Amino acid sequence: MTKARMDYLPDRASSEPRPLYARSSERGAWQPLSEHLLRVAVRAEGAAAAFGAGPWGRAAGLWHDLGKGSPHFQTYLLAATTACAEDEVLRGSVDHSTAGAQHAVESVQLLGHLLAYCIAGHHAGLLDGRGEGACLEARLEKQVEVWQEAVALIPPVGRLELPPFLSAKLSDHRRHPADCAFSFSFFVRMLFSCLVDGDALDAGAFTDPGVAAARCPWPVSVLGMMEDALTAHLDGIDIPFGGNAVA
């Protein structure tokens, strides 16, 4: 590690409470955990608002990295940043997603599991609910290091209500249980996508702002525009009818 990089490290000798960080960058900058949680919350909320679940996206963003507030993760982050190239084993060795999943279940009665799936899987992918191997049930029962200091960094999450379309499916679940189950499953996947995208975009904006700034800001209506363009293109194709035609 270069001397310039070392100059950016948090002051280990200070008697003041050490701030909590989400990550460091190759530029030698450190992203405060509070900043990351709030920015991901804004991104995920905006994306989830498209299907009436903005508050759910916000909650997922605020809680997804609460586990980074543990002393273990903060020590790991500092060690991984200062480690020599041969010490790469340090990277990726600390579970920081379980804490947020457990917090979601404790904070939102029953429905908190919908958020827990998204939070627990926001790096490795969505888990099965139960199973012999990795599953959400095991993660929710896992003993994790104290992380609650991070909660003080974020605003409180208000009462979460199901989006109207999901409430309607739930009220009709006795007549159409499979349809209801599919709707909840699909909702989790949509919410998961909002969280993962928000997390990746904020991380990228911090670690490589040049690339982030060059990313094209697509309009909200881009999918409709693409559909219209594809339809117009297909309508203009003269498809021959013959032996190679596909019915």
Side-chain angles (χ1 to χ4, degrees):
M1 172 168 295
T2 65
K3 176 64 166 60
R5 183 63 183 277
M6 290 291 291
D7 290 340
Y8 285 97
L9 295 177
D11 184 3
R12 304 185 203 188
S14 174
S15 60
E16 296 295 323
R18 179 177 295 174
L20 302 178
Y21 293 98
R23 62 178 47 82
S24 64
S25 75
E26 291 300 322
R27 309 185 322 275
W30 290 75
Q31 184 180 32
L33 179 57
S34 58
E35 175 186 285
H36 176 61
L37 295 177
L38 290 169
R39 289 184 175 181
V40 175
V42 170
R43 290 181 183 274
E45 180 179 20
F51 52 97
W56 289 82
R58 178 173 174 79
L62 289 174
W63 294 344
H64 80 287
D65 270 355
L66 287 177
K68 288 187 175 182
S70 72
H72 188 194
F73 181 86
Q74 293 298 307
T75 300
Y76 145 77
L77 184 61
L78 183 62
T81 304
T82 59
C84 297
E86 59 268 24
D87 294 328
E88 285 292 312
V89 67
L90 286 169
R91 296 188 178 276
S93 61
V94 177
D95 171 10
H96 65 268
S97 59
T98 297
Q102 293 179 355
H103 181 70
V105 170
E106 294 169 1
S107 302
V108 185
Q109 187 174 13
L110 186 61
L111 295 177
H113 284 76
L114 302 179
L115 287 166
Y117 275 109
C118 302
I119 295 171
H122 77 270
H123 281 300
L126 289 170
L127 295 164
D128 290 336
R130 295 179 179 178
E132 295 183 359
C135 64
L136 183 63
E137 183 179 57
R139 294 285 289 277
L140 294 177
E141 294 175 352
K142 182 179 179 180
Q143 293 294 318
V144 295
E145 189 179 358
V146 175
W147 51 267
Q148 284 77 2
E149 184 181 352
V151 176
L153 303 176
I154 58 175
V157 172
R159 180 180 174 83
L160 293 175
E161 302 287 351
L162 288 177
F165 78 90
L166 210 52
S167 294
K169 294 293 184 181
L170 184 60
S171 64
D172 200 33
H173 77 282
R174 292 188 182 277
R175 289 198 305 156
H176 303 287
D179 189 29
C180 180
F182 174 81
S183 296
F184 271 84
S185 175
F186 194 74
F187 175 73
V188 168
R189 284 165 170 75
M190 292 292 290
L191 194 61
F192 174 74
S193 179
C194 295
L195 174 59
V196 171
D197 284 356
D199 187 31
L201 288 171
D202 182 67
F206 178 78
T207 57
D208 199 338
V211 172
R215 183 176 290 113
C216 179
W218 295 106
V220 176
S221 59
V222 65
L223 292 180
M225 296 166 60
M226 293 171 66
E227 180 183 12
D228 292 342
L230 176 61
T231 300
H233 175 70
L234 294 176
D235 288 345
I237 297 177
D238 184 16
I239 302 178
F241 291 94
N244 294 328
V246 179

